[in-house]
Structures are given as structure tokens and as C-alpha cells.
Amino acid sequence: MPNLTASVPHQMERADAKRRIQDQVGMLRQQHGSMFSELKETWAGDRMDFAATAMGQSISGYLTVDDHAVHVVVALPWLLSMLAGTVKQRIEQQMTQVLALPAPATSAGPK
């Protein structure tokens, strides 16, 4: 089966989108790290290569952050490829939530 691909638009600076993705990966590692026997991510500029192994299934892929969207490409093993539609929908939902978060407050406001 070909790679699963997804693109999620955003309306923020590229650096902000990248930072949010990095923060989300860190949170996933903290919350669900025990589920993975292997979880790797490597950033080179605006591209993150990743690989994960859980329950005997390995996935790998990459995402790129550009000025208007985040593009994800995932190579799924045969077992998970049967669920590609569900996996793609979940990736798109998660990325949309991460990229839609309100910007953190930078000032305390009027007193």
C-alpha cells in the first residue's frame, strides 16, 4: 500500500507551528511513552523524521512545516494499512487541534 499522506492548513508563523508540534511530541512522549518500545524523532530544519514501535507494529514517516500547512507522510505496516482511513482521520484531527490552540498570553493584562 502507498504511504498515507495528510495535510493540515494553519494560519500562523512557520516557527510557531513547528514549536507547537515539538511541544505536542514532548507531551505525547510523557503521557504515552510507556506504550512504545521505540519512539524517535529528528528535526532537520522544518522537517521531522519519526519512527515508533508499539505492540509489535512499527511506523515511520516524516512531516514538513511550511508557511500555510503541515504535511505528514506515514509508512504503515500491513496490519495498520487496513485502518489507513481511520489513522489518517486521527492524524488530521490531532494536527488540527494542535495548530488551532490559542496563542499563549504574553502579558498579564490590565490590573
Side-chain angles (χ1 to χ4, degrees), residues 21-40:
I21 293 166
Q22 290 170 323
D23 291 348
Q24 182 69 18
V25 169
M27 192 167 63
L28 288 171
R29 190 181 299 278
Q30 287 178 343
Q31 292 177 353
H32 304 292
S34 62
M35 291 176 43
F36 298 99
S37 56
E38 181 180 3
L39 180 58
K40 295 181 182 179

Side-chain angles (χ1 to χ4, degrees), residues 1-77:
M1 174 171 184
N3 290 339
L4 178 149
T5 61
S7 293
V8 177
H10 66 79
Q11 297 179 0
M12 63 185 66
E13 297 290 328
R14 185 186 298 214
D16 290 335
K18 181 178 173 181
R19 180 189 47 75
R20 288 182 184 204
I21 293 166
Q22 290 170 323
D23 291 348
Q24 182 69 18
V25 169
M27 192 167 63
L28 288 171
R29 190 181 299 278
Q30 287 178 343
Q31 292 177 353
H32 304 292
S34 62
M35 291 176 43
F36 298 99
S37 56
E38 181 180 3
L39 180 58
K40 295 181 182 179
E41 105 234 16
T42 306
W43 283 91
D46 293 325
R47 176 182 165 128
M48 180 185 83
D49 293 301
F50 60 87
T53 302
M55 298 179 287
Q57 298 294 308
S58 296
I59 64 164
S60 62
Y62 64 91
L63 66 79
T64 56
V65 180
D66 70 23
D67 291 334
H68 303 289
V70 174
H71 309 282
V72 183
V73 177
V74 182
L76 294 173

